[in-house]
Amino acid sequence: MTQTHRSPRRPDGPVLNRPDTGPGGTSAFVNGHFPRRRGLIILLSVLGGFLLTVIWSAEFVDRTIGDNVANTLLGHDAKETPIQGVAAGVLFAFVSGIAGTFTACNIAAFGALAPLTGTTGSRLSRFTQPLKPLGWMSVGMIAVSAAYGALVGLVGTSMPQFSTTPNSPGGLSPRSIQSMVVFGVIGLIMIYLGLAALGVVPDPFARIARRHPNAPMVFMGALIAGFLIGRPFALFRQMFRDAAESGNPLYGAAAFTLQSIGNIVIMAVLFLLLAWLAGSRLQRWFAERPSRLAVLTAVAFIVAGAFTFLYWDVRLLARREIIPWYPTAPWA
């Protein structure tokens, strides 16, 4: 009697070893285990990003949270007190970075890193392993922040971000145009990374990650630093104008680097605590079904990217009355 042997069903969906994902199939954000119903995951993620744009109140986050944090840490009104000297400027840069921790772009970036909290091994390795992605992310972040800060110190008064032209109905100020371009590009990059995590598009880091496995984290750090190039946060603009008027590229580089470090310090601590307290459990949970890691990574990137693009390139047009309407919550 002939028996027919049937392969066991894979609950995670197809595991594809694509030629663009390298040996073992992966870079930091693509593990090669792709879930079923990828279209539904994409649709719900984009919808989540859209709903965030509807309810997000920049005024509450920037003024109620950001300004109060900066005023408390500095001991005076951050907006009304002029920055006097390099030392005061460096302190202001770091504090304004902390005050901007809970801006949408920063939360989005660390949301995309959350799936990397899984740890395993000895007690020492569980302690040091989460430090590695943060360290490599800092390399990219500091490189871009310092370079942009030096550029601001040299030519900043001629840059769109220096402009004080008020926004008016039917028009866009130079700094608004810069924000739209920068955040629009960042949003699209995040969406692409989310699609790559699902195997819908090729992994952009597959080839370089074979020789330089930390390249994706360096790129993520550069992406976070890129927020400075478009950020409209009032305290950041105050720091930007001070660095630009100084004409000192070293001061600009130092101030922008400290602003970036301050911007991620609280989120980095939360990331490490999550990894140290729950990392081994997360690792086991991901191991039970590897496609879970792909789903979490993709959702984080797509929600963040959709939010960033829609908020800065569509909702902003509606606020300037260039397009007729965009839905917003009453408090937003």
Side-chain angles (χ1 to χ4, degrees), residues 106 110 134-149 217-228 253 256-265 268:
N106 197 37
F110 271 89
L134 286 178
W136 285 107
M137 186 181 72
S138 297
V139 170
M141 184 187 71
I142 291 173
V144 173
S145 298
Y148 187 60
M217 298 311 303
V218 174
F219 178 82
M220 179 56 65
L223 204 65
I224 291 174
F227 294 146
L228 295 178
F256 276 58
T257 298
L258 284 172
Q259 208 275 346
S260 285
I261 292 174
N263 203 215
I264 70 167
V265 65

Side-chain angles (χ1 to χ4, degrees), residues 56-172:
W56 188 266
S57 172
E59 182 174 352
F60 174 78
V61 175
D62 291 352
R63 297 182 183 179
T64 305
I65 298 178
D67 290 357
N68 286 332
V69 168
N71 295 343
T72 300
L73 293 177
L74 292 173
H76 57 73
D77 191 313
K79 286 183 177 178
E80 299 300 326
T81 304
I83 301 173
Q84 301 289 346
V86 173
V90 167
L91 176 62
F92 183 91
F94 183 69
V95 169
S96 65
I98 295 176
T101 292
F102 297 104
T103 54
C105 49
N106 197 37
I107 292 175
F110 271 89
L113 298 183
L116 300 180
T117 54
T119 58
T120 186
S122 66
R123 180 177 298 180
L124 179 61
S125 66
R126 288 198 299 269
F127 180 81
T128 58
Q129 191 174 340
L131 296 173
K132 294 179 181 179
L134 286 178
W136 285 107
M137 186 181 72
S138 297
V139 170
M141 184 187 71
I142 291 173
V144 173
S145 298
Y148 187 60
L151 178 66
V152 169
L154 286 172
V155 299
T157 55
S158 302
M159 298 172 71
Q161 270 183 307
F162 191 85
S163 171
T164 58
T165 303
N167 292 302
S168 57
L172 293 168

Side-chain angles (χ1 to χ4, degrees), residues 14-328:
V15 178
L16 306 178
N17 288 322
R18 297 161 57 99
D20 55 295
T21 56
T26 70
S27 67
F29 302 124
V30 182
N31 72 352
H33 294 261
F34 306 134
R36 292 185 172 89
R37 298 183 179 179
R38 288 178 285 183
L40 180 62
I41 293 170
I42 294 168
L43 177 62
L44 293 178
S45 299
V46 172
L47 179 61
F50 165 72
L51 292 176
L52 279 176
T53 67
V54 174
I55 67 173
W56 188 266
S57 172
E59 182 174 352
F60 174 78
V61 175
D62 291 352
R63 297 182 183 179
T64 305
I65 298 178
D67 290 357
N68 286 332
V69 168
N71 295 343
T72 300
L73 293 177
L74 292 173
H76 57 73
D77 191 313
K79 286 183 177 178
E80 299 300 326
T81 304
I83 301 173
Q84 301 289 346
V86 173
V90 167
L91 176 62
F92 183 91
F94 183 69
V95 169
S96 65
I98 295 176
T101 292
F102 297 104
T103 54
C105 49
N106 197 37
I107 292 175
F110 271 89
L113 298 183
L116 300 180
T117 54
T119 58
T120 186
S122 66
R123 180 177 298 180
L124 179 61
S125 66
R126 288 198 299 269
F127 180 81
T128 58
Q129 191 174 340
L131 296 173
K132 294 179 181 179
L134 286 178
W136 285 107
M137 186 181 72
S138 297
V139 170
M141 184 187 71
I142 291 173
V144 173
S145 298
Y148 187 60
L151 178 66
V152 169
L154 286 172
V155 299
T157 55
S158 302
M159 298 172 71
Q161 270 183 307
F162 191 85
S163 171
T164 58
T165 303
N167 292 302
S168 57
L172 293 168
S173 67
R175 65 176 184 271
S176 290
I177 295 174
Q178 181 169 332
S179 294
M180 289 181 65
V181 171
V182 171
F183 285 120
V185 170
I186 290 175
L188 292 176
I189 289 174
M190 285 186 165
I191 291 173
Y192 186 95
L193 292 175
L195 295 177
L198 292 174
V200 176
V201 297
D203 178 6
F205 299 109
R207 291 186 178 180
I208 190 173
R210 295 173 189 172
R211 298 184 59 185
H212 305 286
N214 297 303
M217 298 311 303
V218 174
F219 178 82
M220 179 56 65
L223 204 65
I224 291 174
F227 294 146
L228 295 178
I229 302 175
R231 178 164 288 165
F233 182 35
L235 293 178
F236 170 75
R237 288 206 307 269
Q238 189 172 343
M239 183 198 76
F240 176 95
R241 293 181 63 82
D242 182 67
E245 291 172 340
S246 74
N248 184 340
L250 292 178
Y251 169 55
F256 276 58
T257 298
L258 284 172
Q259 208 275 346
S260 285
I261 292 174
N263 203 215
I264 70 167
V265 65
I266 294 178
M267 300 300 292
V269 169
L270 294 176
F271 174 84
L272 291 174
L273 288 175
L274 178 62
W276 291 334
L277 297 177
S280 59
R281 289 190 291 273
L282 285 172
Q283 185 75 16
R284 290 193 297 270
W285 189 67
F286 291 143
E288 290 173 0
R289 184 174 294 181
S291 64
R292 289 171 175 168
L293 182 59
V295 171
L296 288 177
T297 302
V299 169
F301 272 128
I302 296 174
V303 169
F307 170 85
T308 303
F309 181 82
L310 291 174
Y311 187 89
W312 289 105
D313 285 72
V314 182
R315 178 174 152 167
L316 181 63
L317 293 177
R319 293 186 65 182
R320 302 291 181 263
E321 300 181 11
I322 296 175
I323 62 175
W325 180 76
Y326 191 91
T328 56

